[in-house]
Amino acid sequence: MKSAAFLSLLALAGLSAACSHDHDDKEWTQEELAELEAKWGNEWSFNGIGTFAHLNHVKCLTEPTEPFDIAIVGAPFDTAVTYRPGARFGPRAIRQASARQTSFRGFNPRAGINPYQNWAKVVDCGDIPVTPIDNNIAREQMTQALKQLGRRRTVSALAPKPKLMTLGGDHSLTLPALRALTEVYGRPIQVLHFDAHLDTWNPAAYPSYWGETHFTHGSMFWMANQEGLLSNSSSEPSVHAGLRTRLSGTDWTDNIDDTAQNWVRFAADDIDDIGVKGIIAGIMGALGTENPVYLSVDIDVLDPAFAPGTGTPEPGGWTTREFIRILRGIEGLNLVGADVVEVSPAYQGNGEETSLAAAQVVYELITSMVKRGQQDMGKEGGPGHDEL
Ligand SMILES: *[C@@H]1O[C@H](CO)[C@@H](O)[C@H](O)[C@H]1NC(C)=O
């Protein structure tokens, strides 16, 4: 990465004469190119055109031969929300808030690695151009795009398949992501879902005089279960964590329906009784370290004091620190993809607290993906064992 050149600022004084005879047909030597890189190749955190963490930008959807191991992909879509709109500006806000992450200053002390200078080629694939006009077309665009990217060639044998880190957009994008993953992996997936809300709501349970709308940011997990994308095996449940939502009606029907869709639930309040460690243990106990897991982070899992910039805020959530600590504790999961959704920057403060939290979540998840790949390298028969 370019920022290694930072140190060579010291050598600036010695750089020089090459410039005086630059002209159009000049043949550049490797040394001269290296000198240009050393001289101009670094970016300050506030420089550049705003990719995630200053990563290289590849328009992956139109450049199908460019391989990558981990891709940041934006899905700027928000017309399936039920309250505040605006998450279409989430990917831009998260990228902007990631500006102080650079490859040079990217070492993650809790993990002992710099995810941007390790085995994985991490690129920013830009955004899926999702229509804001028609949700059926939007769903199809997101599905096709994520299927395409999920089948791409990787660079390292440590990533047999590329991992997609999707920036929302509203939460409905998780359905396209799960459709893509189940196709790529050829099996149902378990989900770890951080959210104030269940999002397993059965659309038929809501007033529908004017016709049912299935595809919303609260029904995509119900749809995913109906489509067979989630495991129904009791030994392979999916997990909600951070819940504090109101339920419909006068009883526990929503929770009963959620259990029937094979979910286990950790409430936001549970952290007071079992602590961060208890939440981590519960999640790892349900998901293990081998099965492919998709991790979906609705930023409203955080309390509105920490993340007001979101579509459906619910008081009483976790702090940013508690949540990051939980993410660090579950680094052993076999993550095959992830999303961070529902960042709606119009409702955040000037200090960008919500999108900063989202950018940090992305960094922690990429760190864990890279670290997990590194550990698999050492395992007998693990990915890459034969190749490396
Ligand atoms: C799980 O159950 C639902 C509801 O009965 C069904 O539609 C879905 O196909 C099942 N999933 C799998 C992976 O078999």
Side-chain angles (χ1 to χ4, degrees):
M1 280 287 130
K2 292 171 178 170
S3 34
F6 194 85
L7 290 176
S8 55
L9 275 174
L10 294 173
L12 260 185
L15 297 176
S16 57
C19 314
S20 59
H21 51 82
D22 289 357
H23 47 82
D24 289 347
D25 55 359
K26 175 178 165 56
E27 299 252 334
W28 293 89
T29 67
Q30 287 307 314
E31 289 70 25
E32 285 169 331
L33 291 172
E35 183 178 309
L36 287 181
E37 181 65 28
K39 198 173 178 182
W40 304 114
N42 70 297
E43 280 184 4
W44 291 96
S45 50
F46 47 85
N47 294 173
I49 57 166
T51 62
F52 189 87
H54 302 256
L55 293 164
N56 285 338
H57 176 214
V58 180
K59 275 196 118 183
C60 303
L61 287 166
T62 54
E63 294 177 38
T65 57
E66 182 80 22
F68 52 80
D69 298 309
I70 299 174
I72 314 282
V73 190
F77 169 72
D78 65 4
T79 49
V81 299
T82 53
Y83 193 54
R84 296 170 174 170
R88 73 183 63 178
F89 297 103
R92 281 198 166 177
I94 297 170
R95 286 188 175 101
Q96 165 145 334
S98 75
R100 288 183 61 253
Q101 298 180 34
T102 63
S103 300
F104 177 64
R105 280 180 60 83
F107 186 81
N108 193 334
R110 67 93 177 167
I113 60 166
N114 179 338
Y116 304 129
Q117 291 192 55
N118 207 285
W119 62 267
K121 181 177 174 191
V122 192
V123 301
D124 189 331
C125 285
D127 292 337
I128 306 165
V130 193
T131 178
I133 309 297
D134 182 318
N135 284 1
N136 290 327
I137 292 174
R139 183 176 64 230
E140 187 57 24
Q141 289 175 313
M142 291 189 279
T143 303
Q144 281 196 29
L146 297 175
K147 280 184 179 177
Q148 256 201 55
L149 299 179
R151 285 193 293 252
R152 284 290 163 77
R153 201 159 50 86
T154 59
V155 179
S156 170
L158 294 179
K161 302 176 202 298
K163 294 183 199 292
L164 306 182
M165 175 78 239
T166 314
L167 312 179
D170 76 48
H171 213 154
S172 62
L173 84 82
T174 304
L175 179 71
L178 289 169
R179 284 179 176 175
L181 273 177
T182 49
E183 185 180 281
V184 170
Y185 284 83
R187 54 167 292 172
I189 300 285
Q190 284 168 274
V191 173
L192 171 55
H193 173 219
F194 289 103
D195 200 322
H197 311 93
L198 292 168
D199 294 358
T200 53
W201 320 113
N202 178 347
Y206 290 80
S208 57
Y209 177 84
W210 301 98
E212 280 174 26
T213 309
H214 278 191
F215 183 58
T216 75
H217 76 154
S219 64
M220 70 285 166
F221 286 130
W222 178 87
M223 291 179 74
N225 179 265
Q226 291 289 302
E227 292 181 20
L229 310 180
L230 304 178
S231 171
N232 281 335
S233 153
S234 57
S235 62
E236 295 185 349
S238 288
V239 176
H240 302 287
L243 295 170
R244 57 194 186 279
T245 178
R246 289 172 299 284
L247 304 178
S248 301
T250 55
D251 61 16
W252 300 101
T253 304
D254 285 340
N255 275 1
I256 294 165
D257 196 32
D258 185 73
T259 304
Q261 294 172 53
N262 202 28
W263 291 81
V264 298
R265 294 180 293 278
F266 294 96
D269 289 355
D270 288 343
I271 208 167
D272 296 323
D273 301 324
I274 62 177
V276 163
K277 284 189 174 151
I279 303 282
I280 291 168
I283 291 171
M284 295 307 293
L287 299 174
T289 57
E290 296 311 314
N291 287 350
V293 171
Y294 183 78
L295 199 160
S296 182
V297 177
D298 186 323
I299 205 66
D300 74 26
V301 72
L302 300 176
D303 190 88
F306 299 93
T310 193
T312 45
E314 303 282 359
W318 290 337
T319 67
T320 308
R321 184 181 60 77
E322 285 166 338
F323 181 48
I324 288 171
R325 182 65 188 83
I326 291 168
L327 291 178
R328 291 174 171 178
I330 57 172
E331 65 176 18
L333 291 173
N334 179 19
L335 293 183
V336 291
D339 60 45
V340 180
V341 300
E342 298 283 346
V343 172
S344 192
Y347 312 100
Q348 73 177 345
N350 287 338
E352 302 176 87
E353 70 297 307
T354 311
S355 44
L356 275 170
Q360 182 71 22
V361 166
V362 172
Y363 170 67
E364 296 293 351
L365 296 181
I366 292 176
T367 298
S368 296
M369 287 173 179
V370 172
K371 186 169 180 184
R372 170 63 194 245
Q374 225 182 18
Q375 285 164 352
D376 285 347
M377 174 166 48
K379 276 192 207 158
E380 198 65 28
H385 182 77
D386 296 329
E387 291 88 341
L388 296 174

